[in-house]
């Protein structure tokens, strides 16, 4: 209302002022009104955060997100204003929360099942009202999510144990392909290939050029991360977005080709039972008219990028931490020997591998890859006494929460942090509730399988002579936490077990 009154396009201001008032007082009146507006705006917000200050506050906070990266900016603001604070992103009020009680409230309730991000940015990467991860059309998201749940739990999850074991073994047999001239292993590339291969074997089952697609997935992720919060003006300047456009197109084109091949195979298959998998279910839904072709292709794309984007870096961090903590490695090896022995890992081992599980959890707590969760309030609410308006953006800073509450030694990597049962409100690496990570069970299964299969064969070392450790590793904390890949210090030494061969570091 106040804004409207201040907008000369809507009102003839002179007609609203008595004629006796001289024209020279108009600017003063306008200024007074404007200051009143700013004053009243700031007064309504009881949530800590930077001041609005004639729109400078929102500008600065948005710039900080673009400049520092989403995760780093969230940590900065929580440290500065407390664990429940307010900034602006793209001019929209955004809460940054790192308090377990408020986080629990948001994750639990159905009126926070939407996410947020620049509409143009999401359109650019094909995620606007499409796919699952950033699909903010909740009606469509509700249609799509069950396809993911079905593929990632039950028989699919059981089958993943064999698929993933075979994939790790196959890639370890060809380790030379990811070694540099000094014999050091490029763990990230190795893991990305394993994740893509295992995902393809379960969800799509079309032969693909693993190396080429892994590179395209990285390009797509970079574009998604870079465009998510870009202001609209960015999308008007073609030379700024050109390289992202190409990265997105490269991956989409590759997935389109694979999906077409899948459609062809389904239409020519003798027995449909042999074809049933995630991609087939989606293609059938398209034939029934439940989903569009664009939607099907985007869902397949997102299913194929989910594991390489998150788990390859998670496993890299975990291997670094294991290499730096010989006692943890010892405990893991002892458990592997007792539970699995000389054979390959099986589904019934998964539950019994408690030390392995705690090492994975502790690694995700101490050095997370997914540091934050993005949601939107779909109705007015009150969280921990703070009023939250419908449409407010929310970032849950889970990484920070994992270092602030409950854990006895929050700033150390130690299995002691998981010795006691951890109530789930204090540990949420996958989120929980209706919009939680749909791959959380399969992710844990895959990480256990990879760790067991790899560690049974190799002892892992970092390039110690160059003082590489996880704390000193250069990282970027944006949409996710990623190591700076412009260095070969991320490589590791894989020493075969039962062998005297030791590679020089
Ligand atoms: C270390 C591994 C992983 C981590 C830490 C992780 C973490 C997360 C988190 C925090 C979210 C947001 C949850 C929320 O809003 O409450 C999420 C969403 C999601 N994750 Fe994962 N994830 C991992 C692996 C996977 C894997 C392997 C898949 C599938 C193959 C997957 C599929 C998804 C999907 C589809 C969503 C979006 C769900 C939706 O919006 O409905 N994730 N993940």
């Amino acid at each position: 209302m106040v804004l409207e009154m201040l907008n000369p396009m809507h009102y003839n201001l002179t007609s609203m002022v008595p004629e006796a008032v001289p024209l020279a007082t108009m600017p003063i009146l306008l200024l007074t009104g404007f200051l009143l507006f700013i004053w009243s705006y700031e007064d309504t917000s009881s949530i800590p955060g930077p001041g609005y200050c004639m729109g400078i506050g929102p500008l600065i906070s948005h710039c900080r997100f673009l400049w520092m990266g989403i995760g780093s900016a969230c940590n900065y603001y929580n440290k500065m204003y407390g664990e429940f604070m307010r900034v602006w992103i793209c001019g929209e009020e955004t809460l940054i929360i790192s308090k377990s009680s408020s986080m629990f409230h948001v994750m639990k309730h159905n009126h926070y099942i939407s996410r947020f991000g620049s509409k143009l940015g999401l359109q650019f990467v094909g995620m606007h009202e499409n796919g699952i991860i950033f699909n903010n059309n909740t009606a469509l998201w509700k249609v799509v999510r069950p396809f993911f749940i079905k593929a990632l739990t039950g028989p699919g999850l059981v089958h993943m144990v064999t698929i993933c074991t075979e994939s790790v073994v196959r890639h370890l047999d060809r380790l030379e392909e990811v070694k540099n001239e000094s014999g050091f292993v490029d763990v990230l590339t190795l893991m990305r290939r394993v994740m893509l291969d295992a995902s393809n074997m379960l969800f799509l089952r079309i032969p693909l050029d693993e190396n080429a697609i892994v590179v395209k997935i990285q390009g797509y992720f970079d574009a998604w991360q870079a465009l998510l919060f870009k202001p609209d003006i960015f999308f008007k300047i073609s030379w700024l977005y050109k390289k992202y456009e190409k990265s997105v197109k490269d991956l989409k084109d590759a997935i389109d080709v694979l999906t077409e091949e899948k459609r062809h195979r389904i239409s020519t298959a003798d027995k449909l039972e042999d074809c049933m998998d995630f991609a087939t279910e989606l293609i059938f839904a398209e034939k029934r008219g439940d989903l569009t072709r664009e939607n099907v292709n985007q869902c397949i794309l997102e299913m194929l990028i989910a594991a390489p984007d998150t788990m390859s870096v998670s496993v890299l961090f975990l291997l670094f931490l294991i290499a730096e903590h010989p006692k943890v490695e010892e405990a893991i090896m002892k458990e592997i020997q007792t539970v699995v022995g000389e054979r390959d890992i099986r589904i019934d081992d998964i539950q019994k591998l408690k030390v392995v599980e705690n090492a994975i959890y502790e690694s995700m707590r101490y050095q997370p890859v997914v540091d934050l969760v993005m949601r939107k309030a779909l109705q007015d609410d009150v969280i921990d006494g703070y009023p939250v308006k419908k449409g407010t953006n929310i970032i849950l800073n889970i990484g920070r929460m994992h270092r602030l509450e409950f854990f006895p030694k929050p700033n150390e990597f130690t299995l002691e942090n998981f010795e006691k049962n951890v109530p789930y409100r204090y540990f949420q690496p996958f989120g929980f509730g209706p919009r939680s990570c749909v791959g959380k069970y399969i992710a844990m299964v895959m990480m256990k399988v990879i760790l067991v299969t790899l560690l049974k064969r190799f002892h892992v070392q970092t390039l110690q002579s160059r003082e590489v450790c996880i704390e000193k590793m250069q990282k970027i904390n944006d949409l996710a936490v990623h190591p700076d890949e412009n260095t070969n210090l991320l490589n590791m030494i894989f020493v075969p077990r039962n062998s005297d061969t030791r590679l020089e570091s």
Side-chain angles (χ1 to χ4, degrees):
M1 176 69 183
V2 182
L3 260 182
E4 280 177 19
M5 285 181 68
L6 287 172
N7 187 348
M9 298 293 284
H10 289 106
Y11 293 90
N12 180 355
L13 276 175
T14 43
S15 70
M16 293 167 68
V17 183
E19 275 177 19
V21 179
L23 210 64
T25 56
M26 276 305 294
I28 298 167
L29 274 177
L30 276 174
L31 188 69
T32 316
F34 190 54
L35 290 175
L36 265 173
F37 166 68
I38 294 162
W39 174 76
S40 65
Y41 179 89
E42 292 191 8
D43 202 34
T44 55
S45 177
S46 56
I47 304 172
Y52 184 76
C53 201
M54 294 184 277
I56 297 170
L59 194 70
I60 291 180
S61 63
H62 191 179
C63 287
R64 187 173 291 286
F65 274 85
L66 297 176
W67 163 57
M68 291 180 88
I70 310 172
S72 298
C74 287
N75 287 334
Y76 169 87
Y77 279 120
N78 277 144
K79 210 167 155 196
M80 185 93 132
Y81 294 99
E83 311 316 324
F84 195 112
M85 63 83 57
R86 182 264 307 122
V87 286
W88 294 265
I89 296 176
C90 302
E92 294 172 359
E93 283 208 0
T94 304
L95 304 178
I96 308 177
I97 301 175
S98 50
K99 218 172 130 185
S100 65
S101 53
S102 319
M103 226 177 253
F104 193 74
H105 178 101
V106 171
M107 286 181 178
K108 190 167 76 174
H109 286 104
N110 272 321
H111 50 275
Y112 293 101
I113 54 169
S114 189
R115 303 195 194 280
F116 70 96
S118 143
K119 185 178 162 188
L120 291 178
L122 289 174
Q123 265 168 353
F124 217 90
V125 293
M127 288 183 169
H128 175 67
E129 305 206 342
N130 212 4
I132 179 171
I133 307 177
F134 267 79
N135 191 338
N136 294 325
N137 175 339
T138 50
L140 184 56
W141 167 79
K142 280 181 186 159
V143 175
V144 156
R145 189 163 158 116
F147 288 93
F148 283 81
I149 295 178
K150 187 172 175 193
L152 292 162
T153 53
L157 185 137
V158 174
H159 198 185
M160 186 50 115
V161 176
T162 332
I163 286 179
C164 197
T165 311
E166 285 170 3
S167 181
V168 179
V169 170
R170 233 183 357 260
H171 285 82
L172 289 180
D173 287 344
R174 306 192 318 241
L175 205 55
E176 295 305 320
E177 290 176 18
V178 286
K179 274 185 183 172
N180 66 10
E181 56 289 353
S182 313
F184 303 150
V185 179
D186 175 355
V187 180
L188 260 183
T189 303
L190 171 69
M191 285 305 141
R192 283 179 175 137
R193 291 181 188 176
V194 169
M195 302 304 171
L196 176 64
D197 180 43
S199 303
N200 181 39
M201 296 307 282
L202 189 61
F203 308 126
L204 181 62
R205 296 189 294 159
I206 298 294
L208 47 77
D209 180 349
E210 216 171 76
N211 306 355
I213 301 219
V214 157
V215 174
K216 289 177 184 165
I217 290 177
Q218 270 173 269
Y220 182 86
F221 180 83
D222 289 345
W224 171 21
Q225 176 171 260
L227 302 180
L228 191 60
F229 285 168
K230 283 282 188 285
D232 289 358
I233 185 150
F234 179 90
F235 300 94
K236 298 205 162 42
I237 309 167
S238 68
W239 60 267
L240 281 178
Y241 62 69
K242 223 175 194 149
K243 73 167 180 176
Y244 301 119
E245 192 172 38
K246 183 178 178 321
S247 307
V248 171
K249 187 174 177 324
D250 281 354
L251 183 64
K252 279 177 151 228
D253 287 353
I255 301 294
D256 287 356
V257 170
L258 295 171
T259 314
E260 270 325 296
E261 174 62 23
K262 184 74 183 178
R263 287 193 173 91
H264 174 69
R265 288 194 183 194
I266 294 172
S267 62
T268 54
D270 289 337
K271 281 198 248 154
L272 272 180
E273 307 89 75
D274 299 341
C275 289
M276 287 321 288
D277 52 29
F278 173 72
T280 310
E281 300 261 10
L282 288 170
I283 290 166
F284 283 171
E286 179 192 329
K287 290 201 164 118
R288 289 194 303 271
D290 296 345
L291 292 173
T292 63
R293 175 171 287 242
E294 196 193 355
N295 224 274
V296 168
N297 290 16
Q298 183 64 20
C299 285
I300 293 172
L301 182 150
E302 290 182 17
M303 189 61 127
L304 291 185
I305 66 168
D309 274 352
T310 51
M311 291 210 298
S312 41
V313 182
S314 292
V315 174
L316 174 84
F317 288 159
L318 177 57
L319 291 179
F320 259 71
L321 286 163
I322 288 173
E324 287 164 25
H325 295 84
K327 287 224 164 77
V328 173
E329 185 189 9
E330 209 177 293
I332 290 175
M333 293 314 293
K334 210 167 143 195
E335 185 180 72
I336 294 178
Q337 193 53 45
T338 318
V339 176
V340 185
E342 296 309 310
R343 60 171 171 76
D344 281 344
I345 184 172
R346 291 191 310 236
I347 182 71
D348 50 313
D349 299 329
I350 297 291
Q351 288 261 314
K352 298 178 199 152
L353 291 164
K354 288 290 168 207
V355 179
V356 173
E357 182 171 287
N358 287 349
I360 296 172
Y361 281 159
E362 176 61 353
S363 162
M364 286 200 289
R365 185 199 68 80
Y366 182 74
Q367 183 50 78
V369 173
V370 185
D371 213 25
L372 45 91
V373 159
M374 292 165 62
R375 303 291 189 87
K376 196 178 207 57
L378 297 177
Q379 63 185 56
D380 289 350
D381 196 6
V382 176
I383 308 177
D384 275 344
Y386 291 115
V388 175
K389 278 180 279 170
K390 178 180 172 179
T392 305
N393 301 328
I394 296 173
I395 302 182
L396 303 176
N397 191 349
I398 41 178
R400 185 171 164 91
M401 187 261 280
H402 290 159
R403 283 188 178 230
L404 286 180
E405 295 182 46
F406 184 79
F407 294 97
K409 294 186 176 167
N411 296 318
E412 270 179 52
F413 173 80
T414 164
L415 295 181
E416 282 173 52
N417 281 325
F418 281 87
E419 243 162 34
K420 277 201 280 175
N421 201 23
V422 182
Y424 70 102
R425 67 170 57 219
Y426 297 118
F427 184 59
Q428 285 305 336
F430 299 104
F432 90 100
R435 192 114 201 201
S436 64
C437 173
V438 72
K440 61 181 160 188
Y441 301 116
I442 216 160
M444 284 307 290
V445 165
M446 288 173 84
M447 284 193 280
K448 284 184 180 178
V449 168
I450 291 167
L451 203 62
V452 168
T453 314
L454 198 156
L455 289 185
K456 271 170 60 145
R457 250 170 101 167
F458 295 100
H459 162 71
V460 290
Q461 290 177 346
T462 55
L463 308 184
Q464 281 159 346
S465 61
R466 298 184 208 164
E467 290 196 336
V468 189
C469 69
I470 202 130
E471 291 79 9
K472 286 191 192 156
M473 192 189 275
Q474 289 289 318
K475 291 172 224 102
I476 299 146
N477 188 357
D478 200 350
L479 181 58
V481 182
H482 278 86
D484 178 357
E485 294 186 39
N486 297 319
T487 155
N488 56 10
L489 297 182
L490 298 179
N491 292 345
M492 295 189 88
I493 303 164
F494 280 21
V495 184
R497 293 199 192 264
N498 309 320
S499 157
D500 295 334
T501 334
R502 298 253 149 183
L503 292 167
E504 290 301 313
S505 60

